[in-house]
Amino acid sequence: MTKIVGTLGPKSRSVEVISGCLKAGMSVARFDFSLGDTEYHQETLENLKIAVKSTKKLCAVMLDTVGPELQVVNKSEHSISLQADAFVVLTPDQDKEATSELLPINFDGLSKVVKKRDTIFIGQYLFTGSETTSVWLEVDEVKGEDVVCVIKNSATLAGSLFTLHISQIRIDLPTLTDNDKEVISTWGVRNNIDILSLSFTRHAEDVRHARDFLSKLGDLHQTQIFAKIENIEGLTHFDEILQEADGIILSRGNLGIDLPPEKVFLFQKAAVYKCNMAGKPAVITRVVDSMTDNLRPTRAEATDVANAVLDGSDAILLGAETLRGLYPVETISIVGKICAEAEKVFNQDLYFKKTVKYVGEPMTHLESIASSAVRAAIKVKASVIIVFTSSGRAARLIAKYRPTMPVLSVVIPRLKTNQLRWSFTGAFEARQSLIVRGLFPMLADPRHPAESTNTTNESILKVALDHGKASGVIKPHDRVVVCQKVGDASVVKIIELED
């Protein structure tokens, strides 16, 4: 039921590996623009399309912006070894060569925002906190535009790009950089991206700004925006950001640098709870780092994944593990197995009561229908809930109550015309529900409207039931709960199946 987002990259961009990932349970593919250009990602996406066709598994596309990320530029790609207690200078002059005494960075305002004793952290890709591949620096003095630092641990940096993080300091760069806008308006528009992951979201204004930008780009007005919370500033404004965003990604790699390690769990639990109550997807990152190089996760990581599920997370996002890890397919498969085990013991009853209490009374019309559908399904031990929806809202509301059985969301496309051409809506809504826990979308035939007064729904219902039987979730003599609109009324009905 818990979804898995896989990042496609060097080790996971062939049709064969992507097909393996889809079969293993990946339902959202993340394209990280910190690495590779648009052509590179386009090739990967074409391979994804082939894999989706051959495996017949729907997959949503997530574009991850780079955002105001500080980077050390190492053009020669030689590895740089740094010794504890030595000094290293950070300079905005990007023409200089990166050495163990001098590191050029892509930001010229560093000297203005740091002061003596500030901590700066430099690591490759994502911070693993593993001390041989990443380095802690302490600012010693500021000389003009350069920042002189003392190295706190010996480490070797390898590769062309290292990310730089200054603990608890605001970087005055826009959340959507010009480069991000360029990528979205070319690659994003061309490929109708389903979800935009907005890196380093710090204020609700960041989300509004991104939405405003997307609304001017044709079909992208339908794209959902997931705010990626990566620092204290984002956590401080979490409630306002949650109201604006369509979902939240907790980037624990960066949060772990900005927050003391002992506080990360608390913020994670609080954030996931708030997302659950708002009925918006919560995505957790950095769960099985060790699987980047190993076939098995550590016990702590396996427990961590299970706890994320028990806390109510909708999806687990894999970064380095699938991007450059040696075992992308196995990682997805193992994370899926851990999630499934945790779901078996998820206290649905307590969760349901908590959510109903939080929503309070009087409930809105839709909310009461959704909660009633879930309650009925649990009481009659239904094997599946089928919901007909055109915007996807009803389906997401039902999923918000975390029923123990899968929710088949039958998205009925709407036919629209602007006098020049006809277009269908629905594909976006179907794919976007691929990141919501327990929601499994199907696109119906547009000739059957979702609001019906006659029996057209019966034929779609049959298609949905057949789909459920084929995928093994519905068996003879099962009970099924159906939620649909008939005329102006919303109806929840319970069907008992024959043989």
Side-chain angles (χ1 to χ4, degrees):
M1 306 273 269
T2 307
K3 302 303 174 72
I4 297 174
V5 182
T7 305
L8 301 185
K11 291 277 191 286
S12 53
R13 56 192 301 253
S14 66
V15 175
E16 190 183 3
V17 177
I18 297 176
S19 302
C21 291
L22 289 168
K23 285 183 190 143
M26 171 177 88
S27 64
V28 181
R30 170 174 170 259
F31 292 80
D32 185 355
F33 277 82
S34 309
L35 218 69
D37 56 13
T38 46
E39 281 167 34
Y40 176 87
H41 288 297
Q42 192 61 44
E43 274 174 35
T44 311
L45 185 62
E46 295 307 325
N47 288 349
L48 171 67
K49 287 177 186 165
I50 298 168
V52 164
K53 278 210 172 83
S54 68
T55 57
K56 294 195 168 45
K57 294 205 180 294
L58 267 181
C59 187
V61 171
M62 175 188 282
L63 186 161
D64 201 317
T65 63
V66 180
E69 186 168 73
L70 302 188
Q71 291 164 345
V72 172
V73 187
N74 177 17
K75 291 190 178 133
S76 65
E77 301 201 15
H78 293 311
S79 56
I80 299 167
S81 59
L82 301 164
Q83 295 305 317
D85 301 327
F87 286 92
V88 65
V89 176
L90 302 177
T91 176
D93 184 352
Q94 294 186 38
D95 298 331
K96 297 224 168 104
E97 189 66 36
T99 64
S100 37
E101 287 85 46
L102 185 80
L103 297 174
I105 60 169
N106 67 345
F107 178 55
D108 49 18
L110 186 67
S111 56
K112 298 183 190 70
V113 292
V114 295
K115 57 184 188 307
K116 196 174 167 69
R117 299 241 157 72
D118 274 346
T119 337
I120 295 180
F121 188 79
I122 296 177
Q124 189 195 18
Y125 301 110
L126 295 158
F127 306 127
T128 56
S130 93
E131 295 308 280
T132 50
T133 57
S134 43
V135 66
W136 291 95
L137 307 174
E138 189 177 276
V139 176
D140 185 61
E141 60 168 326
V142 176
K143 278 188 177 169
E145 293 211 311
D146 294 353
V147 177
V148 184
C149 303
V150 182
I151 300 166
K152 301 304 263 184
N153 66 294
S154 299
T156 302
L157 300 175
S160 60
L161 209 73
F162 322 109
T163 323
L164 183 112
H165 193 96
I166 316 159
S167 195
Q168 306 199 15
I169 294 280
R170 175 174 170 88
I171 296 304
D172 203 19
L173 288 172
T175 305
L176 257 192
T177 61
D178 291 342
N179 188 26
D180 290 332
K181 288 182 174 172
E182 173 68 17
V183 166
I184 295 167
S185 50
T186 53
W187 192 87
V189 169
R190 177 172 159 195
N191 300 302
N192 270 350
I193 52 163
D194 302 301
I195 298 168
L196 178 75
S197 154
L198 192 60
S199 295
F200 295 98
T201 305
R202 297 166 286 193
H203 296 270
E205 192 46 53
D206 296 343
V207 183
R208 283 194 286 271
H209 176 70
R211 201 175 298 285
D212 186 47
F213 178 67
L214 288 178
S215 67
K216 300 185 175 88
L217 299 173
D219 279 348
L220 293 199
H221 68 271
Q222 302 181 70
T223 300
Q224 288 192 341
I225 298 175
F226 276 48
K228 207 166 164 199
I229 306 293
E230 318 201 34
N231 52 22
I232 294 241
E233 209 175 340
L235 283 174
T236 316
H237 304 112
F238 187 84
D239 295 354
E240 302 98 87
I241 291 172
L242 179 60
Q243 278 188 319
E244 287 293 329
D246 296 300
I248 297 283
I249 297 173
L250 279 181
S251 179
R252 302 193 308 174
N254 287 350
L255 273 177
I257 305 295
D258 228 27
L259 284 173
E262 66 274 17
K263 300 258 198 224
V264 177
F265 85 95
L266 194 62
F267 278 108
Q268 175 180 326
K269 284 185 184 292
V272 170
Y273 172 76
K274 286 175 174 176
C275 290
N276 288 168
M277 294 304 122
K280 291 182 177 181
V283 184
I284 298 289
T285 68
R286 305 303 305 279
V287 285
V288 285
D289 288 339
S290 69
M291 286 197 75
T292 307
D293 309 306
N294 302 299
L295 251 178
R296 290 170 68 89
T298 64
R299 292 170 289 275
E301 287 170 337
T303 308
D304 186 30
V305 174
N307 277 327
V309 173
L310 295 175
D311 286 346
S313 308
D314 284 77
I316 301 287
L317 189 152
L318 302 172
E321 302 98 327
T322 55
L323 173 87
R324 60 187 170 92
L326 306 177
Y327 309 103
V329 179
E330 291 82 352
T331 305
I332 291 172
S333 163
I334 285 175
V335 168
K337 282 180 185 152
I338 301 169
C339 292
E341 283 301 314
E343 285 158 13
K344 286 180 192 167
V345 295
F346 180 71
N347 189 337
Q348 203 284 331
D349 197 38
L350 183 70
Y351 182 91
F352 187 87
K353 286 184 179 130
K354 226 167 40 178
T355 315
V356 169
K357 190 176 168 191
Y358 180 87
V359 171
E361 286 171 359
M363 274 188 176
T364 61
H365 181 86
L366 260 178
E367 195 93 48
S368 70
I369 294 286
S371 55
S372 309
V374 174
R375 180 173 283 154
I378 288 165
K379 292 272 190 270
V380 303
K381 292 195 165 46
S383 54
V384 60
I385 298 175
I386 296 176
V387 52
F388 294 105
T389 174
S390 51
S391 66
R393 232 178 96 216
R396 278 199 298 275
L397 265 183
I398 289 178
K400 168 179 160 180
Y401 289 92
R402 293 276 184 266
T404 42
M405 63 292 295
V407 180
L408 271 187
S409 146
V410 184
V411 180
I412 316 278
R414 288 192 179 140
L415 203 48
K416 291 205 305 208
T417 175
N418 59 1
Q419 260 54 66
L420 293 171
R421 63 189 186 105
W422 288 88
S423 64
F424 283 126
T425 61
F428 265 104
E429 290 80 357
R431 288 192 303 264
Q432 284 165 344
S433 56
L434 287 166
I435 200 163
V436 182
R437 176 152 151 192
L439 208 49
F440 299 91
M442 281 176 63
L443 255 179
D445 183 325
R447 286 170 302 203
H448 303 312
E451 294 88 9
S452 71
T453 39
N454 52 18
T455 53
T456 48
N457 269 12
E458 298 307 316
S459 54
I460 311 190
L461 181 58
K462 189 177 174 315
V463 176
L465 290 171
D466 289 344
H467 178 72
K469 285 173 196 157
S471 53
V473 285
I474 304 178
K475 295 174 199 62
H477 303 296
D478 272 358
R479 289 173 175 166
V480 173
V481 167
V482 180
C483 189
Q484 68 186 101
K485 267 189 151 175
V486 176
D488 291 336
S490 301
V491 176
V492 174
K493 57 183 180 183
I494 300 162
I495 302 175
E496 273 201 46
L497 301 177
E498 308 290 310
D499 294 335

